[in-house]
Every structure is written in C-alpha cells, then in structure tokens.
Amino acid sequence: MALIVQKYGGTSVGDVDRIREVANHVARTRAAGNEVVVVVSAMGKFTDDLILLAHDVSSTRPAREMDMLLTAGERISMSLMSMALGAIGVKSSSFTGSQAGIITDTSHERAKILEIRPDRIREALDEGLVPVVAGFQGVSTERDITTLGRGGSDVTAAALAAALKADVCEIYTDVAGVFSADPRVVTKAHRLDKVSFDEMLEIASTGGRVLMLRSVEFARRHHVPMHVRSSFTWEPGTWIVEEDPTMEEAIVSAITDDTSEAKITVAGVPDRPGVAATLFRELANDDINVDMIVQNTSAYNLADISFTVAKTELKAAMAVCEKVQKEIHAASVTSDDSIGRVTLVGAGMKSSPGVTALMFETLYKDNINIEMISTSSIRISCVLRADKVADAVRLLHTAFGLDGE
Ligand code: ADP
Ligand code: ASP
Ligand code: MG
C-alpha cells in the first residue's frame, strides 16, 4: 500500500463536473489499495477574481486581509471536493492549512513554511478517511492566516508529502507533464518522461511555472519523487527524481520563458569596494529578491550595475535604489519593465562546449539583441526585449533539435 499525495490545480477543479471527475480518480486510487491525501487549489481563476474584488473595493489592501480573502478560494474547493467524495461513497474530511498543521512565518502573501504538524491528517488517514487539504495557506507563528505565494498549492502538497513520508507527490494539472518548453508557446514541445531535481529547480526558477520552485526544493530535500500529470487524460506524465548514473543527460532538456521581471540600472556608480554591498544590503533589508546581476565598468572609474527583480517588487526596489543612489553618489537610477528572459536548461550542458555559441548565433540570426547573460553549470539565460521572447523560444527549440521528438 502506497501513500500518495495528489494535488489538483485550478483548472483541474474548475467546475462541478471537474470536481466530480477528480473525486472519481481519488476513488480509483483508493480502490487500487493506496492511501490518498488530496490537496486542492481554488476553482479556475477564482484567486484572480478575488484579487480584482479587492482592487475594486479599496486602494489600500493590507497583506493580512488579502490573505484572509484569498484563502477563501481553497476553502470552497476543499469542502466541495469532500462532498463529491462522500457522494460516491468515499469517506473524507476537509482541512484548512491551519488545521492541517502548516505553520509559517509572518510574511503575509509569501509566507514560508517553518514546520508541519500533520497530526490531524494522520489521524484522518488512520480512521480510513481521505483528508482533503486547502492548498496555498497556513497559519503564522502569530496565529494569523497566511498564504504561500501564487501557485503555492504545489508547496502545500510537497510539504505534506515530505512530512507524511509519502511515496509520491502527484501534481495534476492541465498539461500532460513537464514539456521541453511551455506547450502554449511552442506547439512542437514534447513531454519529458523524467527530469532530475536539479534540472527542475532551474526550470521552475526561470519561468516554467508548471511547478512552483519551493515545492521542488521541498521534494528534493526530503527525497519525495514528484509526478506531474494531466487530470484530463490521467495518462502517466513526468517524473521528477533524484539524478541517477543511468539517466541520460540531455544537453538541453527544456527552454523556459519569463516576462515577469523588470530590469533596474544604477548608472555612474563609483567603482570602489563596498558600493555594491551597500546597494544589495539595502534591497535585502527590504526583503527584495534580486535575480540576474551585471556590472560594467566604464571610463573614469564609474560602473553601471543592472539587475532584475519581479515586476511586482519593482516599485519597492526603485524606492530603495533612489535612496541608495544619494548615499553612494550614483549618476542615475532607471527601470525597464519591457524585458523578458529565455533560458536553456540541461544537465548535459556542463560537459558540452558550444551550447552558448549556438544559443547566441540562433538569436543573432533573427536579429535579436541580448541585453544580459547569466549562467550556472546546467543553465544559460539571456535577457531580451519582452516582445522577442516567444520567437526566441521557438527558434531555440528548433535549433537545439527539440521539435516534435
Ligand atoms: P495549475 O493551476 O494546475 O497549478 P499552472 O497554470 O500553475 O497549473 O501550471 C500549468 C501550466 O504551466 C501549463 O498550462 C503550461 O502552460 C505552463 N507551463 C510553462 N512551462 C511549462 C513546461 N515546461 N511544461 C509544462 N507546462 C508548462
Ligand atoms: N489559488 C492559488 C493561486 O492561484 C494557489 C494555487 O493555485 O496554487 O495562486
Ligand atoms: Mg500551479
């Protein structure tokens, strides 16, 4: 008997028929002799609708109240799912994140899980029930309701799977697995059978939104395999597993695209020790996550520092930079929110020269200008104009031989 955590995303529980179909699948999984814990997202685009409501009602939206509001979406799905299971004879009980023992820090709207006390979930399993847990939410050490950031139900599922020592964490979504590129951007993208945790971390952190980054980190740290698959066809999908020596390392496994970031440039910065430290310390103190960083030294001992931040944090980051600009006597601070990023990910890249050259040549052939570059041993990212990103992904997908495999 295996213990399986099954997470169903918004589209998977988008309406009443879908909820019934999911309930049938849970019943099938149980009938095959498994224990099942279900994690649900809000129905369809319900979270977006709640955000719009908040915008309509007020221009000030305290993060604590936003969390109270948004967690309502998952509460609706969890109770309906439990009722749908009951209707087909599967005994179940629903739990909010707080009831499921998901304890977070106090950062509203992007809380981090500190601890999981899944006693009630274990008790429910021992009583032969299917626990249905509201994704995306927890309770803080100050006893306030928190959310884990957009897409956070993936984290709930991976964290519960880790705490319960589940055999697998299944992520059901509207595509058949992890693809060689976002299938909505590249129609010729193909499904990957297996992806290593290392590659998946790079895919998730550079725009492949099929899994939230922190869920992959949890699963890797606790050695829980993940299985990303379709709740429409129920066919086997993509396994995210620890790398093993028999796994073939593709030079490029996947190409991601991301237009969620903006670029900030602090120009004419005195080129002396401590200046970059001051700037990035101030940003860190305000909890602003910085992604790619590039520094060019120009004439007269002045440098330009450019970096990217999430568009949602641009305003806060600009305020910090403008303050620091005065302290460090930099010439100017500017921002650009029309950038995008394309990234090649592949574990075989580390031992294959020429990947970077082919990437740059492919972009050059289409006259696409590269504005920033960053690499890890298994990733190369380029920042481009946002309106060039989709073309760039398609061209690179063809150039690296990934089309329709
Ligand atoms: P859910 O609501 O089920 O959590 P998401 O919208 O968060 O679903 O994630 C699924 C979507 O991720 C797909 O519809 C697809 O467009 C997008 N996506 C982006 N990159 C990839 C990729 N490499 N493979 C599969 N899907 C991807
Ligand atoms: N409903 C939340 C969101 O839309 C969480 C999730 O779906 O994972 O971000
Ligand atoms: Mg998601």
Side-chain angles (χ1 to χ4, degrees), residues 7-13 41-42 44-45 150-154 171-185 189-192 200 203 207-212 228-229 231-232 238 254-257:
K7 177 258 169 175
Y8 294 94
T11 339
S12 303
V13 293
S41 288
K45 300 260 170 254
R150 296 305 306 269
S153 299
D154 294 342
I171 305 285
Y172 287 91
T173 183
D174 54 5
V175 286
V178 180
F179 281 65
S180 53
D182 185 342
R184 288 177 210 274
V185 177
H190 64 274
R191 185 177 56 74
L192 307 170
M200 196 62 225
I203 294 171
R209 70 194 159 92
V210 63
L211 280 181
M212 198 207 200
V228 182
R229 51 191 299 195
S231 67
F232 290 80
T238 304
I255 305 182
T256 59
D257 64 279

Side-chain angles (χ1 to χ4, degrees), residues 256-381:
T256 59
D257 64 279
D258 185 8
T259 48
S260 68
E261 293 192 330
K263 178 171 79 171
I264 296 182
T265 302
V266 186
V269 178
D271 194 10
R272 58 178 155 76
V275 170
T278 307
L279 175 62
F280 291 104
R281 166 52 57 204
E282 291 288 335
L283 288 163
N285 286 349
D286 272 30
D287 227 6
I288 292 164
N289 250 320
V290 172
D291 200 355
M292 294 168 82
I293 305 173
V294 170
Q295 174 173 330
N296 312 318
T297 310
S298 50
Y300 312 112
N301 278 341
L302 294 175
D304 295 346
I305 301 177
S306 294
F307 56 91
T308 61
V309 293
K311 277 182 191 161
T312 48
E313 298 193 335
L314 179 59
K315 213 169 136 196
M318 281 299 281
V320 172
C321 292
E322 279 157 9
K323 190 182 85 185
V324 175
Q325 178 197 358
K326 295 193 186 90
E327 280 171 43
I328 61 176
H329 305 292
S332 67
V333 178
T334 51
S335 69
D336 178 350
D337 62 3
S338 309
I339 59 153
R341 183 218 274 225
V342 287
T343 302
L344 306 184
V345 178
M349 198 182 283
K350 47 185 180 276
S351 49
S352 302
V355 178
T356 316
L358 180 56
M359 181 180 197
F360 294 175
E361 281 160 6
T362 306
L363 297 174
Y364 167 60
K365 265 191 219 145
D366 210 55
N367 216 10
I368 296 174
N369 191 40
I370 301 170
E371 300 179 25
M372 291 168 95
I373 300 159
S374 99
T375 62
S376 79
S377 62
I378 62 165
R379 162 181 62 77
I380 310 173
S381 290

Side-chain angles (χ1 to χ4, degrees), residues 166-218:
D167 296 282
V168 52
C169 176
E170 294 184 332
I171 305 285
Y172 287 91
T173 183
D174 54 5
V175 286
V178 180
F179 281 65
S180 53
D182 185 342
R184 288 177 210 274
V185 177
V186 182
T187 45
K188 291 175 184 159
H190 64 274
R191 185 177 56 74
L192 307 170
D193 290 332
K194 255 191 196 180
V195 180
S196 69
F197 276 116
D198 285 352
E199 286 178 310
M200 196 62 225
L201 284 172
E202 297 282 14
I203 294 171
S205 65
T206 57
R209 70 194 159 92
V210 63
L211 280 181
M212 198 207 200
L213 175 62
R214 282 194 282 135
S215 69
V216 187
E217 288 171 344
F218 249 107

Side-chain angles (χ1 to χ4, degrees), residues 47-67:
T47 309
D48 294 326
D49 294 343
L50 290 173
I51 293 173
L52 289 178
L53 263 182
H55 278 254
D56 279 352
V57 90
S58 169
S59 58
T60 52
R61 293 173 293 277
R64 180 184 183 278
E65 302 312 324
M66 284 305 287
D67 279 354

Side-chain angles (χ1 to χ4, degrees), residues 239-255:
W239 283 86
I240 325 287
V241 289
E242 262 149 86
E243 212 166 326
D244 78 69
T246 60
M247 251 164 104
E248 196 196 342
E249 291 191 333
I251 295 174
V252 175
S253 309
I255 305 182

